[in-house]
Amino acid sequence: MVEIAGVAVTPEHASLRELFAADPSRSQRYRTSIADLVVDWSRQPVTDRVLRELHEVARAAGVAHAFHRMASGDRINVTEHRAVGHMALRAPRSLSMMIDGVDVIPEVHAVRDAMRATAERIRSNEQITDVVNIGIGGSDLGPAMAARALRAYGHPRLRPHFVSNVDGADIDSVLGQLDPAHTVFIIVSKTFTTSETLANARTARQWVIDRLGESAVVDHFIAVSTAADQVEAFGIDPSTMIGFWEWVGGRYSIWSAVGLSLMVLIGPDRFDDMLAGAHAIDQVMASGCSDNGDTMANPIVTLALIGVLHRNVFHRASKAVIPYAQELDRLPAYLQQLDMESNGKSVRADGSPVATATGPVIWGEPGTNGQHAFFQLLHQGTDIIPVDFIGFAQPNHDLVEHQDLLMANLFAQAEALALGRDGGDEPHRHFAGDRPSTLILADQLTPSVFGQLLALYEHIVLVQGVVWGIDSFDQWGVELGKVLASRIAAQLTNDDALPSDTDPTTAAAIEWYRSRRRR
Ligand code: F6P
């Protein structure tokens, strides 16, 4: 028995094989639809009793209340004193959502209209062939991942590029493919102070000026930011800027103007479909969070609580997400930021230490590739790693026989992990089984289904953060490295004596670099 949020949770000791034998109906009962997604948690170590206990945890932690506070625009990001408004970004015009006493929905749609106008202008300009998104973290991973995921819906003339790393190899390789006269750069940074993005944007700007002259900047650069002053100081006309708001967290910002490059690629209507898909998930979440705190009928909360069970009761420190869809190859990286930047915390929102382990390591690769790499460990390693398998009935291409093989592999892996196989007198051929997974299935990876998938994971992260009592919407853990990097960057390029308080190991590394750097 383990206590979580003051509620005792006793794990189920029967194996998955035993659970299926005792209750064959679990494959129906533990499978449900969430909007257009079909979610199957029958291969998770839960029974009705365990699920009841877990939902008691959610009640005790105040999950339903926290969700409604988020939806009402309360400042649930307490350490940054901010509301958390990404649901407003995908709400229809007819709704209202108050943040700091203002209904933000009209502003959200005004910005969307501006995005639409910009996107249409680029899409209809035959001169433009390449769109380069420069940003990092939430200002890159969402649109970069989505542009790959929805490439079947992309504009045939427009080639997307995403530059994020301050490593010059990133922008160098992209610029090498471009003609400045045919390129639009979209510089995305919520703060417009992020050093990587500014370095890449400076390089791109100079590259354009060198080839087309200073006057070309206005036609070839668009800024997406909350900081008009910083945009202007950088040298981009703020009238070309599309804004958003401080209540949009970076890793929750694909739904905002941060998604502009995606909208350019797939078109405004499909972008709207993606938002509508996410909104459908918000509605499932809202209707499953009763005013009395009950979440039993909320399948999204159930998925989140299964994650809590793994982390806090079974002490499983990582979770794999395996999309059986090549287009979702960057989804694990996107979810790494979403989950690990949100819930990788060891103090609670009130500053006290957490009582249990918090967010797991999220990782993954598309199937079937992963099967020929790390699945050995998933099947026979000493750690049990829960897996989310994601798959689709219909591909976004015509090679149907490939899809049959692909999905056969997904189903086979889930079965092998859960049920295993007796190796007889050959121990190395023994599969113990009892390895949990969840299936997340849909007919096809459309923009709407894609939006549903991302919103589903967002709410899972929210619920888990509430159970752990942490602020899932700040990211103070990235600050120290930024401060030190900016100090060290200044020290690398001169020969001045290092300050006496420089850590000796870092000093040795700096001296090594100084002696070898290309001048
Ligand atoms: O490094 C952390 C972070 O602040 C992320 O949360 C954010 O998505 C990213 O940097 C980029 O920030 P910005 O959009 O302000 O450039």
Side-chain angles (χ1 to χ4, degrees), residues 438-501:
T438 296
L439 304 193
I440 302 175
L441 307 171
D443 282 359
Q444 195 174 351
L445 183 56
T446 60
S448 168
V449 162
F450 176 74
Q452 293 174 38
L453 200 54
L454 300 196
L456 175 79
Y457 277 106
E458 285 181 354
H459 289 307
I460 288 173
V461 167
L462 167 81
V463 171
Q464 294 178 343
V466 174
V467 168
W468 292 322
I470 57 186
D471 182 343
S472 296
F473 301 100
D474 62 14
Q475 54 285 317
W476 297 105
V478 300
E479 291 306 317
L480 177 60
K482 288 185 191 175
V483 171
L484 295 182
S486 114
R487 194 171 80 193
I488 293 171
Q491 294 166 346
L492 292 183
T493 53
N494 63 51
D495 292 322
D496 298 351
L498 293 170
S500 56
D501 64 347

Short mmCIF file of all heavy atoms in Angstrom, two decimals, residues 438-501:
data_model
loop_
_atom_site.label_atom_id
_atom_site.label_comp_id
_atom_site.label_asym_id
_atom_site.label_seq_id
_atom_site.Cartn_x
_atom_site.Cartn_y
_atom_site.Cartn_z
N THR A 438 -0.72 1.08 -22.98
CA THR A 438 -2.01 1.68 -23.35
C THR A 438 -2.02 1.83 -24.86
O THR A 438 -1.00 2.23 -25.45
CB THR A 438 -2.16 3.07 -22.69
OG1 THR A 438 -2.20 2.88 -21.27
CG2 THR A 438 -3.44 3.77 -23.13
N LEU A 439 -3.14 1.51 -25.49
CA LEU A 439 -3.28 1.77 -26.92
C LEU A 439 -4.07 3.06 -27.10
O LEU A 439 -5.12 3.24 -26.47
CB LEU A 439 -4.04 0.65 -27.64
CG LEU A 439 -3.55 -0.78 -27.56
CD1 LEU A 439 -4.27 -1.63 -28.60
CD2 LEU A 439 -2.06 -0.88 -27.75
N ILE A 440 -3.56 3.93 -27.97
CA ILE A 440 -4.31 5.13 -28.36
C ILE A 440 -4.46 5.04 -29.87
O ILE A 440 -3.47 5.12 -30.61
CB ILE A 440 -3.56 6.41 -27.94
CG1 ILE A 440 -3.32 6.41 -26.43
CG2 ILE A 440 -4.35 7.65 -28.36
CD1 ILE A 440 -2.48 7.57 -25.92
N LEU A 441 -5.68 4.83 -30.33
CA LEU A 441 -5.94 4.54 -31.74
C LEU A 441 -6.90 5.57 -32.32
O LEU A 441 -7.69 6.17 -31.59
CB LEU A 441 -6.56 3.15 -31.89
CG LEU A 441 -5.80 2.00 -31.22
CD1 LEU A 441 -6.62 0.72 -31.24
CD2 LEU A 441 -4.45 1.78 -31.91
N ALA A 442 -6.83 5.75 -33.62
CA ALA A 442 -7.81 6.61 -34.30
C ALA A 442 -7.89 6.16 -35.75
O ALA A 442 -7.01 5.46 -36.24
CB ALA A 442 -7.40 8.07 -34.22
N ASP A 443 -8.94 6.60 -36.42
CA ASP A 443 -9.11 6.20 -37.82
C ASP A 443 -7.94 6.68 -38.66
O ASP A 443 -7.37 5.94 -39.44
CB ASP A 443 -10.42 6.78 -38.39
CG ASP A 443 -11.62 5.97 -37.93
OD1 ASP A 443 -11.42 4.98 -37.21
OD2 ASP A 443 -12.75 6.34 -38.29
N GLN A 444 -7.62 7.97 -38.54
CA GLN A 444 -6.59 8.55 -39.42
C GLN A 444 -5.95 9.74 -38.71
O GLN A 444 -6.62 10.42 -37.92
CB GLN A 444 -7.27 9.01 -40.72
CG GLN A 444 -6.29 9.30 -41.83
CD GLN A 444 -7.00 9.62 -43.15
OE1 GLN A 444 -8.23 9.47 -43.27
NE2 GLN A 444 -6.25 10.06 -44.13
N LEU A 445 -4.71 10.01 -39.03
CA LEU A 445 -4.03 11.16 -38.43
C LEU A 445 -4.43 12.42 -39.20
O LEU A 445 -3.68 12.93 -40.04
CB LEU A 445 -2.51 10.96 -38.44
CG LEU A 445 -1.68 12.06 -37.77
CD1 LEU A 445 -2.10 12.27 -36.34
CD2 LEU A 445 -0.19 11.73 -37.86
N THR A 446 -5.60 12.92 -38.91
CA THR A 446 -6.08 14.18 -39.51
C THR A 446 -5.66 15.33 -38.61
O THR A 446 -5.26 15.12 -37.45
CB THR A 446 -7.61 14.16 -39.59
OG1 THR A 446 -8.11 14.03 -38.24
CG2 THR A 446 -8.12 13.01 -40.45
N PRO A 447 -5.78 16.58 -39.08
CA PRO A 447 -5.48 17.71 -38.19
C PRO A 447 -6.31 17.66 -36.90
O PRO A 447 -5.79 17.94 -35.82
CB PRO A 447 -5.83 18.93 -39.05
CG PRO A 447 -5.56 18.47 -40.45
CD PRO A 447 -6.00 17.03 -40.49
N SER A 448 -7.58 17.28 -37.01
CA SER A 448 -8.42 17.23 -35.81
C SER A 448 -7.91 16.16 -34.84
O SER A 448 -7.77 16.42 -33.63
CB SER A 448 -9.87 16.94 -36.20
OG SER A 448 -10.62 16.63 -35.06
N VAL A 449 -7.64 14.98 -35.35
CA VAL A 449 -7.15 13.90 -34.47
C VAL A 449 -5.81 14.28 -33.85
O VAL A 449 -5.55 14.03 -32.66
CB VAL A 449 -7.07 12.58 -35.27
CG1 VAL A 449 -6.19 11.56 -34.57
CG2 VAL A 449 -8.47 12.03 -35.50
N PHE A 450 -4.98 14.94 -34.63
CA PHE A 450 -3.69 15.40 -34.12
C PHE A 450 -3.90 16.37 -32.95
O PHE A 450 -3.27 16.24 -31.89
CB PHE A 450 -2.93 16.08 -35.27
CG PHE A 450 -1.63 16.69 -34.87
CD1 PHE A 450 -0.52 15.90 -34.59
CD2 PHE A 450 -1.51 18.07 -34.76
CE1 PHE A 450 0.68 16.49 -34.21
CE2 PHE A 450 -0.32 18.65 -34.39
CZ PHE A 450 0.78 17.86 -34.11
N GLY A 451 -4.82 17.32 -33.12
CA GLY A 451 -5.12 18.26 -32.03
C GLY A 451 -5.64 17.52 -30.81
O GLY A 451 -5.30 17.87 -29.67
N GLN A 452 -6.45 16.49 -31.04
CA GLN A 452 -6.99 15.72 -29.92
C GLN A 452 -5.87 15.03 -29.13
O GLN A 452 -5.87 15.01 -27.90
CB GLN A 452 -7.98 14.68 -30.44
CG GLN A 452 -9.25 15.29 -31.03
CD GLN A 452 -10.15 14.25 -31.68
OE1 GLN A 452 -10.30 13.15 -31.18
NE2 GLN A 452 -10.76 14.63 -32.80
N LEU A 453 -4.95 14.46 -29.89
CA LEU A 453 -3.84 13.73 -29.27
C LEU A 453 -3.02 14.65 -28.35
O LEU A 453 -2.71 14.32 -27.20
CB LEU A 453 -2.98 13.17 -30.40
CG LEU A 453 -2.04 12.03 -30.14
CD1 LEU A 453 -2.73 10.85 -29.51
CD2 LEU A 453 -1.39 11.62 -31.47
N LEU A 454 -2.68 15.82 -28.87
CA LEU A 454 -1.85 16.74 -28.07
C LEU A 454 -2.62 17.23 -26.84
O LEU A 454 -2.06 17.30 -25.73
CB LEU A 454 -1.41 17.95 -28.90
CG LEU A 454 -0.58 17.70 -30.16
CD1 LEU A 454 0.09 18.98 -30.61
CD2 LEU A 454 0.46 16.61 -29.96
N ALA A 455 -3.89 17.57 -27.03
CA ALA A 455 -4.68 18.06 -25.89
C ALA A 455 -4.85 16.97 -24.83
O ALA A 455 -4.84 17.24 -23.63
CB ALA A 455 -6.04 18.57 -26.37
N LEU A 456 -4.98 15.74 -25.31
CA LEU A 456 -5.08 14.61 -24.36
C LEU A 456 -3.85 14.57 -23.45
O LEU A 456 -3.96 14.51 -22.22
CB LEU A 456 -5.20 13.30 -25.15
CG LEU A 456 -5.21 12.02 -24.32
CD1 LEU A 456 -6.59 11.81 -23.70
CD2 LEU A 456 -4.85 10.81 -25.17
N TYR A 457 -2.68 14.65 -24.06
CA TYR A 457 -1.45 14.61 -23.25
C TYR A 457 -1.34 15.85 -22.36
O TYR A 457 -0.87 15.76 -21.22
CB TYR A 457 -0.22 14.47 -24.16
CG TYR A 457 0.04 13.02 -24.55
CD1 TYR A 457 -0.24 12.55 -25.82
CD2 TYR A 457 0.54 12.11 -23.63
CE1 TYR A 457 -0.01 11.23 -26.18
CE2 TYR A 457 0.78 10.78 -23.97
CZ TYR A 457 0.51 10.35 -25.24
OH TYR A 457 0.73 9.03 -25.57
N GLU A 458 -1.77 17.00 -22.85
CA GLU A 458 -1.72 18.21 -22.00
C GLU A 458 -2.51 18.00 -20.71
O GLU A 458 -2.05 18.35 -19.62
CB GLU A 458 -2.31 19.41 -22.74
CG GLU A 458 -1.41 19.99 -23.80
CD GLU A 458 -2.03 21.20 -24.50
OE1 GLU A 458 -3.22 21.52 -24.24
OE2 GLU A 458 -1.34 21.81 -25.30
N HIS A 459 -3.71 17.43 -20.87
CA HIS A 459 -4.54 17.27 -19.67
C HIS A 459 -3.99 16.18 -18.74
O HIS A 459 -4.13 16.29 -17.51
CB HIS A 459 -5.99 16.99 -20.06
CG HIS A 459 -6.68 18.19 -20.65
ND1 HIS A 459 -6.70 19.42 -20.01
CD2 HIS A 459 -7.33 18.38 -21.83
CE1 HIS A 459 -7.36 20.29 -20.77
NE2 HIS A 459 -7.75 19.68 -21.86
N ILE A 460 -3.37 15.17 -19.32
CA ILE A 460 -2.74 14.14 -18.48
C ILE A 460 -1.66 14.80 -17.60
O ILE A 460 -1.56 14.56 -16.40
CB ILE A 460 -2.15 13.02 -19.36
CG1 ILE A 460 -3.30 12.19 -19.96
CG2 ILE A 460 -1.18 12.14 -18.57
CD1 ILE A 460 -2.87 11.15 -20.99
N VAL A 461 -0.88 15.67 -18.23
CA VAL A 461 0.19 16.37 -17.49
C VAL A 461 -0.42 17.24 -16.39
O VAL A 461 0.07 17.27 -15.25
CB VAL A 461 1.04 17.21 -18.48
CG1 VAL A 461 1.93 18.18 -17.75
CG2 VAL A 461 1.87 16.28 -19.37
N LEU A 462 -1.49 17.94 -16.71
CA LEU A 462 -2.15 18.79 -15.70
C LEU A 462 -2.58 17.96 -14.51
O LEU A 462 -2.29 18.30 -13.35
CB LEU A 462 -3.38 19.48 -16.32
CG LEU A 462 -4.31 20.14 -15.29
CD1 LEU A 462 -3.79 21.50 -14.88
CD2 LEU A 462 -5.75 20.24 -15.77
N VAL A 463 -3.30 16.86 -14.77
CA VAL A 463 -3.84 16.04 -13.68
C VAL A 463 -2.71 15.52 -12.80
O VAL A 463 -2.78 15.57 -11.56
CB VAL A 463 -4.67 14.87 -14.26
CG1 VAL A 463 -5.05 13.89 -13.17
CG2 VAL A 463 -5.90 15.40 -14.99
N GLN A 464 -1.66 15.03 -13.44
CA GLN A 464 -0.55 14.48 -12.64
C GLN A 464 0.11 15.57 -11.80
O GLN A 464 0.43 15.36 -10.62
CB GLN A 464 0.47 13.80 -13.57
CG GLN A 464 -0.15 12.57 -14.24
CD GLN A 464 0.78 11.86 -15.21
OE1 GLN A 464 1.78 12.40 -15.65
NE2 GLN A 464 0.43 10.63 -15.55
N GLY A 465 0.26 16.76 -12.39
CA GLY A 465 0.84 17.86 -11.63
C GLY A 465 0.00 18.22 -10.41
O GLY A 465 0.53 18.52 -9.34
N VAL A 466 -1.32 18.18 -10.58
CA VAL A 466 -2.21 18.49 -9.45
C VAL A 466 -2.05 17.43 -8.36
O VAL A 466 -1.94 17.75 -7.17
CB VAL A 466 -3.68 18.59 -9.91
CG1 VAL A 466 -4.61 18.76 -8.71
CG2 VAL A 466 -3.86 19.74 -10.89
N VAL A 467 -2.01 16.16 -8.76
CA VAL A 467 -1.85 15.08 -7.77
C VAL A 467 -0.54 15.28 -7.00
O VAL A 467 -0.49 15.08 -5.78
CB VAL A 467 -1.88 13.70 -8.47
CG1 VAL A 467 -1.42 12.59 -7.52
CG2 VAL A 467 -3.29 13.41 -9.00
N TRP A 468 0.49 15.71 -7.69
CA TRP A 468 1.79 15.87 -7.02
C TRP A 468 1.93 17.22 -6.32
O TRP A 468 2.93 17.49 -5.67
CB TRP A 468 2.92 15.65 -8.04
CG TRP A 468 2.98 14.23 -8.52
CD1 TRP A 468 2.77 13.11 -7.77
CD2 TRP A 468 3.25 13.76 -9.85
NE1 TRP A 468 2.89 11.97 -8.55
CE2 TRP A 468 3.19 12.33 -9.82
CE3 TRP A 468 3.55 14.37 -11.07
CZ2 TRP A 468 3.41 11.53 -10.95
CZ3 TRP A 468 3.77 13.59 -12.18
CH2 TRP A 468 3.70 12.18 -12.12
N GLY A 469 0.94 18.07 -6.53
CA GLY A 469 0.95 19.36 -5.82
C GLY A 469 1.94 20.35 -6.38
O GLY A 469 2.32 21.32 -5.71
N ILE A 470 2.38 20.14 -7.65
CA ILE A 470 3.40 21.03 -8.19
C ILE A 470 2.79 22.05 -9.14
O ILE A 470 1.66 21.88 -9.58
CB ILE A 470 4.52 20.23 -8.92
CG1 ILE A 470 3.93 19.36 -10.02
CG2 ILE A 470 5.29 19.40 -7.93
CD1 ILE A 470 4.95 18.44 -10.66
N ASP A 471 3.56 23.08 -9.45
CA ASP A 471 3.14 24.05 -10.46
C ASP A 471 3.66 23.52 -11.80
O ASP A 471 4.85 23.61 -12.09
CB ASP A 471 3.75 25.43 -10.14
CG ASP A 471 3.30 26.50 -11.13
OD1 ASP A 471 2.81 26.14 -12.22
OD2 ASP A 471 3.46 27.69 -10.81
N SER A 472 2.74 22.98 -12.61
CA SER A 472 3.15 22.39 -13.89
C SER A 472 3.43 23.44 -14.96
O SER A 472 3.73 23.09 -16.10
CB SER A 472 2.04 21.46 -14.41
OG SER A 472 1.85 20.38 -13.53
N PHE A 473 3.31 24.71 -14.61
CA PHE A 473 3.35 25.72 -15.68
C PHE A 473 4.54 26.67 -15.56
O PHE A 473 4.66 27.59 -16.35
CB PHE A 473 2.01 26.47 -15.71
CG PHE A 473 0.88 25.51 -15.96
CD1 PHE A 473 0.09 25.04 -14.91
CD2 PHE A 473 0.66 24.99 -17.22
CE1 PHE A 473 -0.91 24.11 -15.13
CE2 PHE A 473 -0.33 24.05 -17.45
CZ PHE A 473 -1.13 23.61 -16.40
N ASP A 474 5.40 26.43 -14.58
CA ASP A 474 6.63 27.23 -14.55
C ASP A 474 7.79 26.35 -15.04
O ASP A 474 7.60 25.17 -15.36
CB ASP A 474 6.89 27.80 -13.14
CG ASP A 474 7.10 26.71 -12.09
OD1 ASP A 474 7.32 25.54 -12.45
OD2 ASP A 474 7.03 27.03 -10.88
N GLN A 475 8.97 26.90 -15.12
CA GLN A 475 10.14 26.13 -15.59
C GLN A 475 11.42 26.76 -15.04
O GLN A 475 12.34 27.07 -15.77
CB GLN A 475 10.20 26.02 -17.13
CG GLN A 475 10.15 27.34 -17.92
CD GLN A 475 8.79 27.94 -17.97
OE1 GLN A 475 7.81 27.26 -18.17
NE2 GLN A 475 8.71 29.25 -17.74
N TRP A 476 11.43 26.95 -13.71
CA TRP A 476 12.59 27.62 -13.11
C TRP A 476 13.85 26.80 -13.28
O TRP A 476 14.96 27.35 -13.25
CB TRP A 476 12.31 27.90 -11.62
CG TRP A 476 11.16 28.84 -11.44
CD1 TRP A 476 9.90 28.54 -11.03
CD2 TRP A 476 11.16 30.25 -11.74
NE1 TRP A 476 9.10 29.65 -11.04
CE2 TRP A 476 9.84 30.72 -11.46
CE3 TRP A 476 12.12 31.14 -12.20
CZ2 TRP A 476 9.48 32.04 -11.64
CZ3 TRP A 476 11.75 32.47 -12.37
CH2 TRP A 476 10.46 32.91 -12.09
N GLY A 477 13.69 25.51 -13.47
CA GLY A 477 14.87 24.63 -13.58
C GLY A 477 15.73 24.88 -14.80
O GLY A 477 16.83 24.35 -14.90
N VAL A 478 15.25 25.69 -15.75
CA VAL A 478 16.09 25.96 -16.92
C VAL A 478 16.89 27.25 -16.75
O VAL A 478 17.74 27.58 -17.58
CB VAL A 478 15.26 26.03 -18.22
CG1 VAL A 478 14.54 24.71 -18.46
CG2 VAL A 478 14.27 27.18 -18.19
N GLU A 479 16.63 27.98 -15.65
CA GLU A 479 17.21 29.33 -15.54
C GLU A 479 18.70 29.34 -15.24
O GLU A 479 19.45 30.10 -15.84
CB GLU A 479 16.47 30.12 -14.45
CG GLU A 479 15.05 30.48 -14.81
CD GLU A 479 14.94 31.21 -16.14
OE1 GLU A 479 15.77 32.10 -16.40
OE2 GLU A 479 14.05 30.85 -16.93
N LEU A 480 19.13 28.50 -14.29
CA LEU A 480 20.53 28.57 -13.85
C LEU A 480 21.49 28.36 -15.02
O LEU A 480 22.47 29.10 -15.19
CB LEU A 480 20.77 27.53 -12.75
CG LEU A 480 22.19 27.42 -12.22
CD1 LEU A 480 22.67 28.74 -11.64
CD2 LEU A 480 22.28 26.29 -11.17
N GLY A 481 21.20 27.36 -15.83
CA GLY A 481 22.07 27.07 -16.98
C GLY A 481 22.14 28.26 -17.93
O GLY A 481 23.21 28.57 -18.49
N LYS A 482 21.01 28.96 -18.11
CA LYS A 482 21.00 30.13 -19.01
C LYS A 482 21.91 31.22 -18.47
O LYS A 482 22.68 31.84 -19.21
CB LYS A 482 19.58 30.70 -19.14
CG LYS A 482 18.62 29.87 -19.95
CD LYS A 482 17.29 30.62 -20.08
CE LYS A 482 16.20 29.75 -20.63
NZ LYS A 482 14.90 30.39 -20.67
N VAL A 483 21.81 31.47 -17.15
CA VAL A 483 22.61 32.55 -16.53
C VAL A 483 24.09 32.22 -16.66
O VAL A 483 24.91 33.06 -17.06
CB VAL A 483 22.20 32.71 -15.04
CG1 VAL A 483 23.16 33.65 -14.32
CG2 VAL A 483 20.76 33.19 -14.93
N LEU A 484 24.45 30.96 -16.33
CA LEU A 484 25.87 30.59 -16.39
C LEU A 484 26.39 30.64 -17.82
O LEU A 484 27.50 31.09 -18.08
CB LEU A 484 26.06 29.18 -15.80
CG LEU A 484 25.76 29.04 -14.30
CD1 LEU A 484 26.04 27.62 -13.83
CD2 LEU A 484 26.57 30.03 -13.47
N ALA A 485 25.56 30.18 -18.78
CA ALA A 485 26.00 30.17 -20.18
C ALA A 485 26.27 31.59 -20.66
O ALA A 485 27.25 31.84 -21.38
CB ALA A 485 24.96 29.49 -21.07
N SER A 486 25.43 32.53 -20.23
CA SER A 486 25.66 33.89 -20.73
C SER A 486 26.94 34.47 -20.11
O SER A 486 27.71 35.16 -20.78
CB SER A 486 24.40 34.73 -20.51
OG SER A 486 24.61 35.73 -19.61
N ARG A 487 27.22 34.11 -18.84
CA ARG A 487 28.49 34.59 -18.24
C ARG A 487 29.69 33.94 -18.93
O ARG A 487 30.65 34.60 -19.30
CB ARG A 487 28.49 34.26 -16.75
CG ARG A 487 29.57 34.99 -15.99
CD ARG A 487 29.41 34.82 -14.50
NE ARG A 487 29.93 33.54 -14.05
CZ ARG A 487 29.69 33.02 -12.85
NH1 ARG A 487 28.90 33.65 -12.00
NH2 ARG A 487 30.23 31.88 -12.51
N ILE A 488 29.59 32.64 -19.16
CA ILE A 488 30.73 31.92 -19.75
C ILE A 488 30.93 32.35 -21.20
O ILE A 488 32.07 32.46 -21.67
CB ILE A 488 30.52 30.40 -19.63
CG1 ILE A 488 30.58 29.99 -18.15
CG2 ILE A 488 31.56 29.62 -20.43
CD1 ILE A 488 30.17 28.55 -17.87
N ALA A 489 29.83 32.63 -21.93
CA ALA A 489 29.96 33.05 -23.33
C ALA A 489 30.87 34.28 -23.43
O ALA A 489 31.72 34.37 -24.32
CB ALA A 489 28.59 33.36 -23.92
N ALA A 490 30.72 35.21 -22.48
CA ALA A 490 31.55 36.42 -22.51
C ALA A 490 33.01 36.07 -22.21
O ALA A 490 33.93 36.71 -22.73
CB ALA A 490 31.02 37.42 -21.49
N GLN A 491 33.22 35.04 -21.40
CA GLN A 491 34.60 34.68 -21.01
C GLN A 491 35.34 33.90 -22.09
O GLN A 491 36.57 33.90 -22.12
CB GLN A 491 34.57 33.86 -19.72
CG GLN A 491 34.07 34.67 -18.52
CD GLN A 491 33.70 33.79 -17.34
OE1 GLN A 491 33.57 32.58 -17.46
NE2 GLN A 491 33.53 34.42 -16.18
N LEU A 492 34.62 33.25 -22.97
CA LEU A 492 35.28 32.40 -23.96
C LEU A 492 36.03 33.21 -25.02
O LEU A 492 36.97 32.73 -25.62
CB LEU A 492 34.25 31.50 -24.67
CG LEU A 492 33.58 30.42 -23.84
CD1 LEU A 492 32.64 29.59 -24.70
CD2 LEU A 492 34.62 29.51 -23.18
N THR A 493 35.57 34.45 -25.22
CA THR A 493 36.09 35.20 -26.37
C THR A 493 37.14 36.24 -26.00
O THR A 493 37.49 37.08 -26.80
CB THR A 493 34.92 35.90 -27.10
OG1 THR A 493 34.19 36.66 -26.14
CG2 THR A 493 34.00 34.88 -27.75
N ASN A 494 37.63 36.21 -24.77
CA ASN A 494 38.76 37.10 -24.45
C ASN A 494 39.76 36.32 -23.60
O ASN A 494 39.50 35.16 -23.24
CB ASN A 494 38.27 38.36 -23.72
CG ASN A 494 37.61 38.05 -22.40
OD1 ASN A 494 38.19 37.32 -21.58
ND2 ASN A 494 36.42 38.58 -22.17
N ASP A 495 40.87 36.95 -23.31
CA ASP A 495 41.91 36.25 -22.54
C ASP A 495 42.03 36.82 -21.14
O ASP A 495 43.03 36.59 -20.45
CB ASP A 495 43.26 36.35 -23.28
CG ASP A 495 43.23 35.54 -24.56
OD1 ASP A 495 42.62 34.45 -24.55
OD2 ASP A 495 43.79 36.01 -25.58
N ASP A 496 41.03 37.56 -20.70
CA ASP A 496 41.08 38.15 -19.35
C ASP A 496 41.16 37.04 -18.30
O ASP A 496 40.63 35.94 -18.51
CB ASP A 496 39.82 38.97 -19.07
CG ASP A 496 39.69 40.14 -20.04
OD1 ASP A 496 40.67 40.40 -20.78
OD2 ASP A 496 38.62 40.77 -20.06
N ALA A 497 41.78 37.38 -17.17
CA ALA A 497 41.81 36.41 -16.07
C ALA A 497 40.38 36.13 -15.62
O ALA A 497 39.55 37.03 -15.55
CB ALA A 497 42.63 36.98 -14.91
N LEU A 498 40.12 34.86 -15.35
CA LEU A 498 38.77 34.51 -14.91
C LEU A 498 38.56 34.99 -13.48
O LEU A 498 39.51 35.03 -12.69
CB LEU A 498 38.59 32.99 -14.98
CG LEU A 498 38.61 32.42 -16.40
CD1 LEU A 498 38.68 30.88 -16.36
CD2 LEU A 498 37.38 32.87 -17.18
N PRO A 499 37.34 35.37 -13.13
CA PRO A 499 37.08 35.80 -11.74
C PRO A 499 37.52 34.71 -10.76
O PRO A 499 37.43 33.52 -11.07
CB PRO A 499 35.56 35.98 -11.71
CG PRO A 499 35.13 36.13 -13.12
CD PRO A 499 36.13 35.40 -13.96
N SER A 500 38.01 35.14 -9.59
CA SER A 500 38.57 34.17 -8.65
C SER A 500 37.54 33.16 -8.14
O SER A 500 37.89 32.08 -7.69
CB SER A 500 39.21 34.91 -7.47
OG SER A 500 38.22 35.73 -6.90
N ASP A 501 36.26 33.51 -8.25
CA ASP A 501 35.25 32.57 -7.74
C ASP A 501 34.81 31.56 -8.81
O ASP A 501 33.86 30.80 -8.62
CB ASP A 501 34.03 33.32 -7.20
CG ASP A 501 33.30 34.11 -8.29
OD1 ASP A 501 33.87 34.27 -9.40
OD2 ASP A 501 32.16 34.56 -8.04
#
